[in-house]
Amino acid sequence: MQDVLTIILAGGMGSRLSPLTDNRAKPAVPFGGKYRILDFTLSNCLHSGLRRVLVLTQYKSHSLQKHLRDGWSIFNPELGEYITAVPPQMRKGENWYEGTADAIYQNLWLLDRSEAEYVVVLSGDHIYRMDYEPMLAQHKATGADLTIACMEVSIREASAFGCVGTDSERKIVAFEEKPENPPATPKDKTKSLASMGIYIFSMKALAESLELEQGMIYLATILAKISFLSSSISSLFMPTNLVTHKAALVETLIGEM
């Protein structure tokens, strides 16, 4: 998929997982022996045909970068395939990444150089298995500027997540981070739609939105604002091929932004 660039956010401190994260970033925490949490997202990318991947690192990144070098040097640069670690470049100021949106904003030059038409934004500290290709196909078919993967959760538990409000045609009309009164789904008032932290943007919409906000706001705010630019800008995707660990749902669905 040469028209798609994938960005994996892998700079989280993961303080809630201390002492496992005392000397490494959360995505670099070992899982099942020699593997790392980040390997779940990278494996999903590999099996989904996403082979142009930028891994945005920040805190205590040596362990993560070493793992990428030793375990993921499998793509062929001659075919335009790569997994590249990108620490803060400070191209937009003197600060490190100041949140999710700012991390992408500081690397807009890489997005522009890629000449990609679509950007898949993923978290590097989530544990699940998913094929992103059907979501990407829906995004292209609908012509949306943004598609968010969501899953239904009990409305009583929804306040722990970023929640999405939709209309009867599955168009997103609202996005709120950890709301006190989560919106119910149109068909089931006992359920709410929780964002899985999996986003697909059309490149033009993402770049324009980040430039408009100067990359200094939280991603959830951007999502809420650009959802109202037009009636067809954003769409909902409900994965049918998702495998996740229910016991880790609250911890891994949203992660530390």
Side-chain angles (χ1 to χ4, degrees), residues 1 40-41 43-50 120 122 128-138 149 196 198 200 237-243:
M1 297 186 187
F40 285 88
T41 304
S43 294
N44 290 338
C45 291
L46 177 64
H47 296 300
S48 301
L50 302 178
V120 180
L122 307 169
Y128 66 103
R129 185 179 70 207
M130 177 176 167
D131 181 0
Y132 304 124
E133 191 169 359
M135 181 177 176
L136 187 60
Q138 175 184 302
M196 296 170 57
I198 301 170
I200 298 179
F237 180 79
M238 298 287 289
T240 58
N241 57 358
L242 175 72
V243 177

Side-chain angles (χ1 to χ4, degrees), residues 215-234:
M216 301 305 292
I217 61 175
Y218 197 73
L219 181 59
T221 307
I222 285 183
L223 297 179
K225 289 187 177 182
I226 68 174
S227 291
F228 293 101
L229 291 180
S230 73
S231 61
S232 63
I233 190 168
S234 51

Side-chain angles (χ1 to χ4, degrees), residues 28 82 152 155 158 182 197 251:
Y82 53 82
E152 289 186 346
I155 201 165
E251 176 69 25

Side-chain angles (χ1 to χ4, degrees), residues 126 148-155 157-166 172 174-179 182-185 191-199 236-239 242 249-250 252-254:
H126 294 181
I148 304 178
C150 300
M151 65 184 302
E152 289 186 346
V153 297
S154 168
I155 201 165
E157 302 174 350
S159 294
F161 308 103
C163 292
V164 171
T166 64
I172 296 171
F175 185 101
E176 188 174 357
E177 186 70 23
K178 300 180 180 179
T185 63
K191 302 288 186 181
S192 187
L193 291 173
S195 167
M196 296 170 57
I198 301 170
Y199 310 101
L236 168 72
F237 180 79
M238 298 287 289
L242 175 72
L249 185 63
V250 174
T252 62
L253 262 181
I254 300 304

Side-chain angles (χ1 to χ4, degrees), residues 89-95 106:
Q89 303 295 299
M90 299 182 184
R91 285 179 170 267
K92 298 290 186 177
E94 298 180 354
N95 298 318
Q106 287 198 33

Side-chain angles (χ1 to χ4, degrees), residues 26 44 85 117 169 244:
K26 185 178 178 182
N44 290 338
E117 296 183 32
E169 297 180 352
T244 186

